[in-house]
Amino acid sequence: MTEKTALTPATHTAPPARFSHGVRKGNILQVAGQVGFLPAVEGQGPAVAGPTLREQTLQTFANVKAILEEGGATWDDVMMMRVYLTDVDHFAEMNAIYNQYFEDQDLKAPAAARTTVYVGLPAGLLIEIDALAVLD
């Protein structure tokens, strides 16, 4: 049986509860929900990238990507993404940011499947994203 490996990139602080930012087992890598926190600074608490959906979405993508890379994956390995928004009115803007971001990634494989839902997040956070990757 393949062991699970917890993934915490240097850019991330320790999770606030007993979970991992990402876990890899065999060729499966699950990225836990990530938000728009800036890279960790020792001795300081998490800081949000900015108040706008754009700032937070781009930082959230960077945080997901850091975990994918820590586990040996790329965006091309992602099979499923879930996007959690706090406001239904952000859907069109998020789609525009999402589409541009992935156009800029020069994906070799088709884009991942995606689900978007609306949730409550801690104050100041507008978006959370998780991802499931399968490596060759």
Side-chain angles (χ1 to χ4, degrees):
M1 181 180 277
T2 307
E3 290 187 30
K4 290 192 304 186
T5 303
L7 306 169
T8 301
T11 55
H12 287 56
T13 59
R18 190 177 168 109
F19 66 88
S20 301
H21 286 294
V23 174
R24 180 168 176 183
K25 184 172 181 172
N27 69 335
I28 306 286
L29 190 161
Q30 176 66 54
V31 177
Q34 299 296 301
V35 295
F37 288 147
L38 293 167
V41 175
E42 192 169 331
Q44 294 183 13
V48 179
T52 69
L53 182 64
R54 177 173 196 73
E55 291 167 310
Q56 290 190 30
T57 301
L58 293 175
Q59 185 62 53
T60 300
F61 284 142
N63 294 342
V64 171
K65 185 177 181 182
I67 296 165
L68 291 171
E69 290 173 349
E70 184 80 8
T74 70
W75 286 118
D76 281 317
D77 297 309
V78 175
M79 299 296 294
M80 177 67 184
M81 292 179 62
R82 283 168 292 271
V83 175
Y84 306 89
L85 293 173
T86 59
D87 189 337
V88 69
D89 291 334
H90 289 160
F91 187 72
E93 180 183 359
M94 185 277 301
N95 273 338
I97 298 164
Y98 187 100
N99 289 340
Q100 185 61 59
Y101 179 85
F102 284 105
E103 279 181 33
D104 295 344
Q105 297 307 302
D106 192 31
L107 299 178
K108 309 290 184 269
R114 190 188 95 194
T115 298
T116 303
V117 296
Y118 303 96
V119 297
L121 292 172
L125 295 172
L126 304 174
I127 186 167
E128 182 173 349
I129 298 174
D130 70 37
L132 175 67
V134 178
L135 292 77
D136 291 329

